[in-house]
Amino acid sequence: MSVQKDYDELGLKVGLEIHQQLDTKKLFCGCPSDMVEEEDRTVLRNLRPTESELGEVDKAALMEAQKGLKFRYQAPEGSSCLVELDEEPPAGPDEEALDLALTMALFMNAEIMDEIHFMRKIVIDGSNTTGFQRTGLIAMNGTLEVNGKEIGIPTMCLEEDAARSIEEKDGEKVFRLDRLGIPLVEIATDPDISSPEEAKEVAQNIGALFRSTKSVKRGIGSIREDLNVSIEEGARVEMKGVQELDMLPEYVEKEVDRQIKLLEIKEILEERNAEIVDKIYDVTEEFEGCESGIIQGSLNKGNGVYAVKLKGFDGQLRGDEGEALLGPELADYAKKTGVAGIFHSDELPKFGITDKEVKVVKKKLEIEEKDAFALVTESEENSRDALRKVIERAEMALKGVPEETRQAQPDGTSSFLRPLSGEARMYPETDIPPKQVERERLKRLDEELPERPEEKIERFQKEYGLNEQQSEQLFKKGYDVLFERLVERYGSPSVITNTFLHTYPDLKKEGYELENINEEDLERMFKRFDAGEFAKEGIPDLLQEVAEGRSVKEALKSAGLETVSEEDIREEVIDLIEDRSDFVEEREMGAVGPLMGVLMKELKGKADGEKISKILREEIQKRI
Amino acid sequence: MVQREALLKDAKPGDRLKIKKDEETYEGVLMPIHRFSGEDIITLKLDNGYNVGIKADKNTEVELIRKSEEEAKRKEKKIDIDESKSTISILGTGGTIASYVEYRTGAVHPAQTADDLLFSNPEIAERCRPKVEVLFSKLSEEMRPEDWVTIADRVIELFQEGSEGVIISHGTDTMGYTAAALSFLLEGLSKPVVLVGSQRSSDRPSSDAHLNLLAAVEMAKSDHPGVYVVMHESMSDKKCAVHKGTKVRKMHTSRRDAFESINDEPVGFVDPETGEVDIEERPKKGEDENIKRKGSMEEKVSLLYANPGLTEEDIKHARSKEGIVIAGTGLGHMPTDLIPALEEIIDEGLPVVMTSQCLYGTVNGHVYSAGRELKEAGVIFAGDMLPETAMVKLMWALTLDEDVEKVMKQNIAGEYTERRIR
Ligand SMILES: [Zn+2]
């Protein structure tokens, strides 16, 4: 059903929230903002939701706390200190980071605050040792023009990045503190974006603006996108943690599909007068002697089997062709209480659960034709918690699409993370005094404002002889800064452009990991290229080797690109001419073309084509 | 100047305002003026939760949208008290062991009532029958010696009223002083008195207050008599260390495990999660409730920090006091040319006690001549007693009808350790 959807008709609205790591010191301490491999000392912590004025904790916060997790923090001494450990009050903010945030605000013609007040935004999933994220609103009401369309930028914030999640084991969530405190500039757009492709374009534009400051982090995870997606009848869904810009359109498309599907289910449920039965049944007896390994294993541990009835939900948990419908949604909610998953009637009999058990459960729950059920096998308490969540989510299905925060998955789908946390719980960070933004500072930044993207694109054409498209592509794909640096040192703008715009996509298509080619590799490669050590034709082969983990030096060897001296070429040429002496005598200079072909194949990439041609001509000349 | 005041007229924090400045309009709730804000800055809490500062100038207009709403009442929440559990008194004296944030204004309110405290730490009621009262609400640095006496008197009453243990919540800066004072003031103690505080205030999700408090409850329930400080053992939220009131010192400005036993090991450890109290048997002082207050506190004691720049002036200033404790250098020394001035004061009848600013190790008046001179001058060498403990003890000793030197040299509440292994 890949029919082109009419996104205008659906009333698609997308907003972006872009977080870019800055390449400065950390925001609130003097630590370097480097990611490291060491675990170093670890500290174990708990976080407790604090109470608000009403004595109630935030809904989202409570849900995290329910999971009763402990957090272990790895605190590498080279890139974290007592501030990240929440053992010392913060300093700062880092002036350079603030300059960068203000520069972005100037770029977007936003209204910069006279005084910045850092706030504590409650986050108790463990990703912040303090239990809150420090964030300050820098500017409001900016704009960005993308393809002639104006996109609103309501807020721009300067905030600290969260700790890096490492693993979850033995009931502990493990984080590393190297990332905690790295400055992030958060740019939010209005929901002005109306197609999946446009989401990518806007993100590319903002990314390009960031890079033009030359002080932002590059590479995986250094820029992260959150999405807000809604369609007319659906609901606002926030999607967190998109790391690959190219996948933005896919996330939007899949979320739209999901919302459409949920709306269709809602209609079916309405027709059937589906309803929620707020009752949890103990069906442990019904499963005695069940052959399912999962059930047996659980019963042996002293657990039970519990069930809820989903009146009118038959066929809505999983489609006839096995496609996922409400089933995963119910399971996602249940899993938040710590259970491994649920079984539901649309997928049974399966997993060793036979028709016989399905029948007795149906009997016990008084399941009628259009009804469904869900099962959990865990301790009684855990099972009941999980099934209460199933009931909660099923009830939402009657209303359509619930507002929620979802986690972007690498395959373009998403999974439920938590209910959309309403208004963020924020209160002032009393440890950091308000920061005044003086006019002189803005004046200085305005004078030092880096080249704007459109200016740069024009200059590239003039200065390096690129065409508009090349110039724009380099920019959008984020190679502009590196391109310019390489060209300044080693020349050959068109070869370098080609490498980024053609060789790179080709290599990616062939499955090579471009992440393995770092900037230093490129530096080394073009330095050797500039020295005439190999010809441009050798670049793709060389990069393949580098992508496979070899150094440039090794790659030259294993790609067979080691330099061929002029004498070697001449030797090769003479050998060939002697070999084909009849042909040369017959065709005289006309033999150059065909012989060139043979030589290029033999010397592939090892020598420059022009050089070979020159030698070939000289040698033929000698013969005739 | 005064642009702000003129514009805000009678707008109060909590009022909803619209501020127009140049082309922009900001709407939100007026926040109190921040102490470190720039001149003429109006702080507004926007609907997205952020506070921002807007500088009032002649192009700024302020419109009052709505007056402040009544502050929302906190929900009543009943905590079930199990009458059969042992009665533990929790005496509030200040600090941030319990507080809550009013998100609307960002104000942090300390727990003022017993309910406030139990409300944010309901688990306490699962472990004992809590009897909570707020004696006073003072910052640690506002605490005076007379307050120690007030606390001691109330602790005695609480035991007489049947408490099995008393917890004192206290600001951390001077908690060690109070612990030392109670160690001397409370005589015939047969039950635990536990001081507890927090290094991260309790309005934060990462606060250490909760764990410390639960550990304090477990310690107070135990049958180990004495005055203790119970705080985090390490940077982890795991175990809490139990320190003897006379040997404990705050050794870090901000870490959770700031409190250390000096020249002594912690008395033991509490695992707040399991409730396990791991303590070596300590002698009971008596079964009966013959607890009483011994002595009081003489405020006029000064604590001098010996250093190469110390002058005779500094010594003479202390003349108006009733006693002097010196945190000497090394083994208990000070510039020798000041010894005559010191001797004069001693001859006038002022006790002078020598401790070491090294904190670790004991003073010794025999090793070097400077020490011998001080000893000859009549300075009382206080072994491995902490300078602060020595000061508190001297304040107390001066109110007793006993020979001060004799009292100072007697090991009364574990302030001297016989042997040091570190
Ligand atoms: Zn740091």
Side-chain angles (χ1 to χ4, degrees), chain A residues 56 70 87 114-115 135, chain B residues 37 50 55 75 254 273:
Chain A
E56 281 170 320
K70 287 184 186 272
E87 290 285 21
D114 296 323
E115 192 173 80
T135 171
Chain B
S37 262
Y50 281 95
K55 193 173 172 74
K75 256 185 210 160
S254 57
E273 206 166 309

Side-chain angles (χ1 to χ4, degrees), chain A residues 26 28-32 79-84 180:
Chain A
K26 287 194 177 179
F28 299 115
C29 61
C31 286
S79 56
S80 70
C81 64
L82 289 181
V83 173
E84 287 92 327
L180 180 63

Side-chain angles (χ1 to χ4, degrees), chain A residues 41-56 70 72 82 85-90 110-124 128-138 140-141 155 157 159 186 423-436 439, chain B residues 21-26 31 34 36-39 41-43 45-57 72-75 77 99-108 116 119-123 199-207 210-211 232 234-238 252 254-257 273:
Chain A
R41 58 180 170 177
T42 71
V43 163
L44 191 70
R45 291 279 168 75
N46 310 120
L47 290 174
R48 266 169 82 80
T50 53
E51 37 161 339
S52 75
E53 68 277 23
L54 288 172
E56 281 170 320
K70 287 184 186 272
R72 184 169 290 282
L82 289 181
L85 276 166
D86 188 37
E87 290 285 21
E88 187 179 300
E111 191 67 23
I112 293 167
M113 296 300 141
D114 296 323
E115 192 173 80
I116 296 156
H117 289 240
F118 283 95
M119 308 293 288
R120 297 171 171 177
K121 190 195 268 181
I122 297 290
V123 183
I124 57 162
N128 290 72
T129 47
T130 49
F132 49 74
Q133 180 194 30
R134 300 185 177 103
T135 171
L137 185 64
I138 304 293
M140 293 173 79
N141 305 325
T155 57
C157 300
E159 54 194 35
E186 184 208 84
E423 189 188 320
R425 291 253 180 248
M426 271 200 258
Y427 63 108
E429 170 50 278
T430 42
D431 296 341
I432 301 166
K435 182 85 195 164
Q436 284 138 52
R439 269 164 213 268
Chain B
K21 190 184 170 189
D22 306 320
E23 303 295 296
E24 301 294 327
T25 305
Y26 306 94
M31 294 287 108
H34 196 291
F36 295 117
S37 262
E39 200 177 287
I41 293 285
I42 300 174
T43 307
K45 189 181 189 69
L46 306 178
D47 291 339
N48 61 15
Y50 281 95
N51 287 10
V52 294
I54 301 155
K55 193 173 172 74
D57 60 20
K73 278 268 179 295
R74 301 174 86 202
K75 256 185 210 160
K77 191 167 159 191
S99 50
Y100 70 95
V101 185
E102 196 191 313
Y103 289 101
R104 200 173 53 92
T105 59
V108 177
D116 279 350
F119 196 85
S120 24
N121 299 279
E123 294 93 332
Q199 285 282 81
R200 292 286 91 70
S201 65
S202 53
D203 55 284
R204 310 159 64 113
S206 62
S207 173
H210 181 71
L211 203 78
H232 267 55
S234 68
M235 291 199 285
S236 288
D237 288 333
K238 229 169 159 181
H252 197 279
S254 57
R255 275 170 65 154
R256 286 165 173 75
D257 55 356
E273 206 166 309

